[in-house]
Amino acid sequence: MRKSTIILALVLLLGVTGIWLNTKTASLERETSAKVRIAKEAPLVNYQAPAFELKSIDGTQTFRVGGERERPVLINFWASWCGPCKLEAPDLVKIYAKYQNELDMYAVNVTSTDSKKDAQAFVDEYGLINPILMDLDGSVFAAYNGMAFPTNLLIDKSGTIRRLYIGLRPASQIEADIQELLDEK
C-alpha cells in the first residue's frame, strides 16, 4: 500500500508539472504571436512611420526619416527590374520637379533584391533627380513590411503616414494627395 501511495504521488507530481509547463509554454506562444501580429500590422496610415537612416547611392550623404521634420516626405521603394517601377518613374520625376521646394522625396532602392549597378543604370535611364537611397540589406523595406514594388508612402511633417500606395497608382492620385497635405499648412 505504501509503494502504491508513493507511485500515485509521483504520477500526480508529474501530471501537475506537465500541466504547469504546458500552460507556461502556451502563454509564451500567445505573447510571441501577439507581438508578431502587431509588428506585421505596422506601419499603418495615421501611425508614425518607422525611423531609418540610409546613405545616398553615391555614399556621400545620409538621409533620415522618423519623427518630426521640416517638410513632408514621399518615400518610394523600388527595384530596377520592377516593371511598374519603370512605368511610374517618369511621373515621379515630374512630381519631384514640381514639389521639390515643399516636399522631400526619397527613392529607396531595395538593393537586397537588386544590384547597385542596375540601380544606377535605372537612375540614369529615367533621369531621377531626387535623392536615391540604398537599402542594401532590405532592412528598411522589411521595417515597412514591404511586400511589393513599387510601394510609396506619403508622410507628413509630424512623421505620420498619411497615405500608403502598394503597387502602381495614377500620378494624378499621388499628386492630389500631396497637394491636399501641403494645403493643410
Side-chain angles (χ1 to χ4, degrees):
M1 181 134 169
R2 186 168 182 212
K3 191 175 188 181
S4 61
T5 305
I6 293 173
I7 291 174
L8 182 60
L10 284 174
V11 168
L12 283 173
L13 180 62
L14 287 174
V16 169
T17 303
I19 291 170
W20 179 76
L21 287 173
N22 191 33
T23 304
K24 188 169 180 101
T25 302
S27 173
L28 182 59
E29 286 174 0
R30 279 192 304 274
E31 284 179 34
T32 303
S33 176
K35 287 179 185 173
V36 170
R37 275 197 305 273
I38 290 168
K40 286 185 179 177
E41 291 173 357
L44 299 170
V45 172
N46 296 324
Y47 286 83
Q48 286 292 301
F52 69 84
E53 184 175 297
L54 290 174
K55 289 205 175 285
S56 59
I57 194 167
D58 63 5
T60 61
Q61 292 180 286
T62 301
F63 294 86
R64 292 173 185 80
V65 169
E68 292 195 22
R69 49 186 307 111
E70 289 184 28
R71 304 190 303 187
V73 62
L74 177 68
I75 300 173
N76 166 245
F77 289 102
W78 63 280
S80 65
W81 48 263
C82 161
C85 299
K86 293 174 183 179
L87 291 173
E88 81 171 359
D91 291 329
L92 292 179
V93 169
K94 290 175 189 170
I95 288 171
Y96 182 69
K98 182 174 181 177
Y99 293 102
Q100 65 184 323
N101 295 324
E102 304 168 85
L103 173 80
D104 292 327
M105 182 187 296
Y106 303 148
V108 179
N109 176 263
V110 185
T111 320
S112 60
T113 68
D114 209 341
S115 75
K116 199 169 183 178
K117 178 183 171 191
D118 290 342
Q120 185 63 61
F122 184 98
V123 169
D124 295 342
E125 180 178 349
Y126 292 98
L128 302 183
I129 56 174
N130 57 291
I132 310 301
L133 313 183
M134 305 303 284
D135 184 10
L136 298 173
D137 63 2
S139 61
V140 174
F141 192 55
Y144 279 80
N145 295 316
M147 60 180 125
F149 296 112
T151 294
N152 293 291
L153 297 104
L154 184 58
I155 300 169
D156 67 18
K157 292 193 291 187
S158 71
T160 301
I161 297 170
R162 298 295 292 275
R163 297 283 187 271
L164 171 62
Y165 314 99
I166 298 174
L168 191 60
R169 290 291 191 280
S172 59
Q173 178 187 3
I174 295 172
E175 191 169 352
D177 291 340
I178 289 170
Q179 192 58 56
E180 179 183 323
L181 181 60
L182 294 174
D183 288 344
E184 290 179 5
K185 294 179 184 178

